[in-house]
Amino acid sequence: ALYTVEDLVDHRYHKHTAARDKLQYKVKWLNYSVDEATWEDAATLEDTVPLLVQKYKDTHNLYLPAMRSKK
């Protein structure tokens, strides 16, 4: 099945390794309820829906590196 990204509704830093977290976006899929939204890696979405990612970053002033060091 092919899923279409309708919107990005949230973001988080998901534990990836001991030293780094990975940025993820919560995806609202077209024709699915927001309750069925899933977390997807930012890198994948930047490749598939770059304009939506840019709009989300602008709206949320989210200009942080995709990987960030843990303190």
Side-chain angles (χ1 to χ4, degrees):
L2 181 64
Y3 298 97
T4 303
V5 176
E6 181 179 334
D7 202 8
L8 304 178
V9 295
D10 201 359
H11 68 276
R12 70 178 181 185
Y13 288 92
H14 183 67
K15 184 164 280 303
H16 179 58
T17 66
R20 293 178 183 270
D21 290 345
K22 183 180 281 191
L23 177 62
Q24 293 185 324
Y25 293 108
K26 193 166 195 177
V27 174
K28 160 68 172 81
W29 301 101
L30 188 64
N31 300 323
Y32 289 87
S33 75
V34 74
D35 293 340
E36 297 176 286
T38 58
W39 291 102
E40 306 294 334
D41 289 344
T44 301
L45 294 166
E46 286 164 3
D47 286 342
T48 55
V49 288
L51 295 177
L52 207 52
V53 170
Q54 188 62 51
K55 179 182 161 195
Y56 185 93
K57 285 182 174 181
D58 289 347
T59 302
H60 294 83
N61 198 21
L62 187 65
Y63 288 97
L64 301 170
M67 296 288 210
R68 69 175 186 186
S69 296
K70 298 282 275 184
K71 292 205 176 2

